[in-house]
Amino acid sequence: MAVKSIQIKRIYEDASEKDGYRVLVDRLWPRGVSKEAAQLDEWNKKISPSPELRKWFDHDPEKFEEFKKRYKTELADREDVIDELFENADDHKLTLLYAAKDETHNHAIVLKEFLNELI
């Protein structure tokens, strides 16, 4: 079996049964969210951008295209982490949770795009 589909969602949105396997893909725990409220199946820090890349990007929309390239390069070197994620979410919808305020320029969008190319 394989992951049925992938979606992204802000961690601050309510959890839903339709979310399937819920994975926080941020390296840092989101402010103002308790572990109980998050209702996570997994917190996968290893799949998030490296600290250096995250700091360089600094949520600057003008750097987003270059950020996408650099982050996809990092992801290409994390095959074991991605395989484990797919194994854990097997036969479910995969919901990638993130905390960024910008819903159009964030790492979860890039990660979803990268993972969709693999399923």
Side-chain angles (χ1 to χ4, degrees):
M1 289 285 166
V3 170
K4 290 184 177 179
S5 64
I6 301 170
Q7 70 177 1
I8 61 173
K9 187 173 183 180
R10 287 193 77 222
I11 188 78
Y12 302 104
E13 295 176 49
D14 291 336
S16 165
E17 288 183 22
K18 295 178 183 178
D19 290 345
Y21 192 79
R22 293 172 50 88
V23 180
L24 177 62
V25 295
D26 286 350
R27 190 167 296 273
L28 305 173
W29 187 261
R31 290 184 182 143
V33 177
S34 69
K35 295 200 190 242
E36 296 77 27
Q39 297 182 36
L40 298 180
D41 292 299
E42 180 180 343
W43 179 13
N44 193 326
K45 299 175 199 178
K46 293 182 241 171
I47 206 161
S48 65
S50 67
E52 297 80 19
L53 181 57
R54 185 177 58 80
K55 288 174 187 171
W56 172 83
F57 174 47
D58 196 31
H59 301 284
D60 181 349
E62 292 183 14
K63 294 180 178 177
F64 190 64
E65 289 306 313
E66 180 62 24
F67 170 77
K68 281 175 64 169
K69 291 177 194 168
R70 293 181 186 192
Y71 184 32
K72 285 183 177 184
T73 298
E74 287 187 356
L75 289 168
D77 290 335
R78 298 182 189 163
E79 189 174 325
D80 57 331
V81 174
I82 292 168
D83 288 346
E84 185 179 329
L85 176 64
F86 281 155
E87 279 182 34
N88 292 344
D90 191 36
D91 201 30
H92 292 91
K93 177 186 281 185
L94 174 60
T95 298
L96 307 173
L97 301 164
Y98 68 97
K101 292 177 185 174
D102 187 336
E103 295 183 26
T104 57
H105 302 98
N106 65 67
H107 73 286
I109 291 170
V110 181
L111 179 57
K112 177 186 176 193
E113 185 178 299
F114 186 87
L115 295 177
N116 271 327
E117 293 173 4
L118 301 176
I119 61 172

